[in-house]
Amino acid sequence: MELIYRIGFTLRMLHRYRRALLQVYRQTPKCNAAYHRSPQDLKQQGIEVVVLDFDGVLAADHALLPTSEMQQWLHDCLALFGHEQIFLLSNKPLPERIAYFEQLGIRCITNVKKKPYPDGLQQVINLTQYAAHQLILVDDRLLTGILATCIAGTQANYITQPYVNVRHRPLSELPFMLLRLIERGVVHLFGFISK
Ligand SMILES: [Mg+2]
């Protein structure tokens, strides 16, 4: 039942925030990975708080730990922003992932409604007391994370080149690849409708 409500909410918000979504979709290069923007780049852009999705952004779906390059990125991010200003906001907060982030001192936002509900981002805003535009969510899904940023008014780094592991987990990976493709198609279509 929760899924049905979430789909209904997504469709309503997709319609309401279609222009903001389209802007992110059109402005993001086709091969944007999280490590393409260094923590220094984010800081220079006026970002004070970094919120991270996990699947696709830090590692492939179902992975328990970030890839080695993203572990390095996280350490650089920690050195620059400090652990008080980095958060994990994943729709799949597995215990092993939470344990990894907690030992780094990074807080994981759990027990909130899943993205695209803006509740997780709102909680980060409340905890840090920064303005919404000083927060960035790094996420690979247009109709979950990126839509949540449009609703909450935060910045978004839309990852169009997510980590995938098709060779080892084709059955679990392919549905997510298809979902990402459908999301892009839907937003693209809205671009024509809303003209
Ligand atoms: Mg993801």
Side-chain angles (χ1 to χ4, degrees):
M1 204 63 189
E2 187 262 338
L3 180 63
I4 293 175
Y5 283 127
R6 185 146 53 99
I7 291 171
F9 179 78
T10 302
L11 293 174
R12 286 198 309 280
M13 294 301 113
L14 167 64
H15 184 256
R16 188 178 301 172
Y17 292 95
R18 60 190 183 280
R19 287 187 182 85
L21 260 183
L22 260 172
Q23 201 176 351
V24 176
Y25 169 75
R26 286 179 175 154
Q27 284 178 353
T28 308
K30 291 275 189 298
C31 50
N32 183 40
Y35 57 86
H36 289 166
R37 277 166 85 181
S38 67
Q40 286 83 357
D41 287 346
L42 298 177
K43 196 83 175 173
Q44 277 167 11
Q45 196 193 313
I47 298 300
E48 295 293 345
V49 182
V50 180
V51 187
L52 298 159
D53 174 42
F54 193 99
D55 294 287
V57 169
L58 298 176
D61 285 299
H62 297 281
L64 297 178
L65 296 177
T67 63
S68 53
E69 62 195 350
M70 285 313 293
Q71 288 192 24
Q72 183 57 52
W73 188 93
L74 267 174
H75 278 96
D76 294 346
C77 211
L78 274 167
L80 193 64
F81 287 89
H83 60 84
E84 292 282 310
Q85 282 159 240
I86 306 175
F87 292 84
L88 181 76
L89 177 61
S90 167
N91 276 0
K92 217 185 293 167
L94 303 175
E96 292 88 346
R97 294 174 175 180
I98 291 179
Y100 173 80
F101 281 90
E102 283 184 346
Q103 54 101 14
L104 290 177
I106 296 175
R107 282 173 285 182
C108 303
I109 302 297
T110 54
N111 297 321
V112 286
K113 284 162 128 183
K114 292 181 175 184
K115 299 169 281 187
Y117 289 105
D119 303 37
L121 288 172
Q122 200 55 57
Q123 191 174 119
V124 174
I125 292 169
N126 293 342
L127 283 168
T128 60
Q129 293 292 303
Y130 278 100
H133 68 87
Q134 293 174 298
L135 264 74
I136 195 164
L137 172 69
V138 188
D139 204 298
D140 63 320
R141 293 283 307 280
L142 271 175
L143 297 189
T144 60
I146 304 303
L147 184 53
T149 67
C150 297
I151 302 168
T154 71
Q155 307 278 332
N157 183 13
Y158 171 37
I159 301 308
T160 49
Q161 190 187 304
Y163 287 107
V164 288
N165 193 359
V166 185
R167 190 183 293 175
H168 294 106
R169 301 190 71 104
L171 286 182
S172 59
E173 197 71 70
L174 285 171
F176 284 104
M177 291 173 74
L178 192 65
L179 260 179
R180 290 186 189 108
L181 210 64
I182 291 170
E183 287 180 340
R184 290 181 66 80
V186 168
V187 172
H188 194 81
L189 195 68
F190 262 75
F192 287 109
I193 296 170
S194 62
K195 271 180 186 169

